[in-house]
Amino acid sequence: MKPYISTAEPAGSAPALARIVPFAVYLFFIFIADVLSRMGYSADDTRWLYAVKILAVTAALVLYWRHYAELAWQPMRASLVLASTAVGLAVFVLWISLDAGWMQIGSAAGFDPRQPGGAINWGLVALRIAGAALVVPVMEELFWRSFLLRWLQSPDFLTVRAAAVSLKALAITVVLFGFEHNLWLAGMVAGLAYGLLYMRSGNLWTAIVAHGVTNGVLGAWIVVTGNWHYW
């Protein structure tokens, strides 16, 4: 199957940097949150940091957007949309199921949008879901699938067709993607699902849509059930 997208880059671009910087910005804010936690600030005290993180990541994506040739919009076949949605829903179900103690690294601080008295701050909820479902999937898929998965195959990663990526490269990204998350096993399952979807379709948007569906449905489920620690 021919790749769905073009990998042409603007002349003089730094394609690897364009995919690394937004992800590095995201990790930087995780580090800042950890530092603040060690300084005695509670998760409630640092809820505002998520908004800053998403704005910073969005700014980085906008700054480098012209370098993401594979994100140039083209109509997706209905079969790809359905497949992406199905994969995203399946990963959601597995994500909330693979939560035994041995399947976790440490404990997640979570994100509790409730105000004193128990009322939910719907502005915080909307921001969290929008960031998780719209911004994070683009940033992570550009790094993990568009860049790292293909870079492990060849440093000249833009010339690598998604379908030509080796199982070794896939396995490495799956493991690393898993350990990026508190629920490491669920993270590996998600990384494998998104990676295979991208490799089979040759279209990065399939992985982005699946990832967005997972995060969006997870956010809705968290709000309905009150399982804030999943955030």
Side-chain angles (χ1 to χ4, degrees):
M1 178 185 295
K2 290 184 178 181
Y4 175 77
I5 46 82
S6 167
T7 56
E9 284 277 336
S13 67
L17 194 62
R19 290 157 177 78
I20 293 171
V21 169
F23 183 69
V25 170
Y26 187 80
L27 292 183
F28 173 74
F29 278 95
I30 292 177
F31 169 74
I32 292 297
D34 183 63
V35 170
L36 292 176
S37 175
R38 293 175 185 275
M39 292 174 61
Y41 291 92
S42 68
D44 287 343
D45 295 329
T46 58
R47 289 187 301 182
W48 57 270
L49 194 61
Y50 186 80
V52 179
K53 175 169 65 176
I54 290 301
L55 287 174
V57 171
T58 300
L61 290 171
V62 170
L63 177 65
Y64 287 109
W65 193 261
R66 68 188 182 92
H67 298 291
Y68 308 139
E70 67 265 57
L71 296 187
W73 176 250
Q74 299 182 48
M76 279 178 63
R77 298 195 307 272
S79 59
L80 286 182
V81 175
L82 290 174
S84 301
T85 302
V87 168
L89 291 173
V91 171
F92 158 71
V93 172
L94 291 170
W95 193 275
I96 62 175
S97 302
L98 300 174
D99 61 350
W102 65 272
M103 302 175 185
Q104 303 182 41
I105 304 173
S107 58
F111 183 88
D112 190 339
R114 292 175 297 179
Q115 300 171 329
I120 293 177
N121 184 324
W122 291 105
L124 287 177
V125 169
L127 177 65
R128 183 75 188 199
I129 293 179
L134 301 177
V135 179
V136 170
V138 175
M139 173 269 296
E140 286 203 315
E141 295 309 316
L142 280 168
F143 176 77
W144 289 107
R145 257 59 71 177
S146 175
F147 168 63
L148 188 61
L149 180 65
R150 294 189 294 166
W151 181 83
L152 289 168
Q153 190 70 26
S154 169
D156 190 12
F157 70 96
L158 289 178
T159 66
V160 178
R161 293 173 54 250
V165 171
S166 68
L167 290 179
K168 178 181 178 181
L170 177 62
I172 292 172
T173 56
V174 165
V175 171
L176 293 177
F177 186 78
F179 283 102
E180 180 200 4
H181 298 85
N182 163 250
L183 295 172
W184 63 267
L185 183 57
M188 288 185 187
V189 170
L192 179 62
Y194 303 150
L196 289 175
L197 189 61
Y198 171 53
M199 290 169 64
R200 287 185 62 85
S201 68
N203 181 356
L204 189 64
W205 277 110
T206 59
I208 292 173
V209 170
H211 199 153
V213 168
T214 299
N215 288 3
V217 175
L218 177 64
W221 176 82
I222 289 170
V223 173
V224 170
T225 62
N227 284 295
W228 310 113
H229 61 282
Y230 275 90
W231 260 341

